[in-house]
Amino acid sequence: AGAELFVRKAQIEYHGSAGFDDELQIGVRCARLGRSSMTVAIAIFRGDEHLIDGELVYVYADAQEKKSLPVPDAWRTRIAQIERTRPEGL
């Protein structure tokens, strides 16, 4: 449709490390949905041990001109359907 998500910010905070054979649980959710951006929160656990927090901020924009566009209503509807915790701004 001529528009894409572009990464605006990527942040990670390490609380502990994992080994090659560790079984990990990875959680990803849309934490915030703005007019033209969305924030995705990430957490990684080994059992009850919280290893990593992460945050990615994406901007929805025109692929050619790199100017922000409103997040499509269809995306907002779908995110509302799949998220257990309602994102801020939705």
Side-chain angles (χ1 to χ4, degrees):
E4 297 181 24
L5 283 176
F6 294 89
V7 175
R8 173 74 172 101
K9 174 182 163 186
Q11 182 176 325
I12 191 164
E13 185 174 351
Y14 294 94
H15 307 291
S17 59
F20 181 75
D21 291 335
D22 289 347
E23 186 173 319
L24 304 174
Q25 295 79 43
I26 301 170
V28 179
R29 73 177 199 89
C30 179
R32 182 182 173 284
L33 192 55
R35 184 191 77 80
S36 62
S37 67
M38 63 187 291
T39 301
V40 176
I42 301 164
I44 300 176
F45 298 86
R46 178 181 48 229
D48 291 335
E49 187 180 2
H50 187 177
L51 300 176
I52 294 174
D53 279 316
E55 180 181 272
L56 297 168
V57 177
Y58 292 95
V59 175
Y60 189 70
D62 181 283
Q64 296 257 349
E65 297 190 26
K66 308 291 193 275
K67 292 186 179 184
S68 66
L69 297 170
V71 173
D73 288 337
W75 288 26
R76 293 177 179 282
T77 300
R78 185 64 182 133
I79 289 169
Q81 291 171 344
I82 64 173
E83 286 293 346
R84 290 183 184 172
T85 302
R86 187 173 184 86
E88 179 185 326
L90 187 62

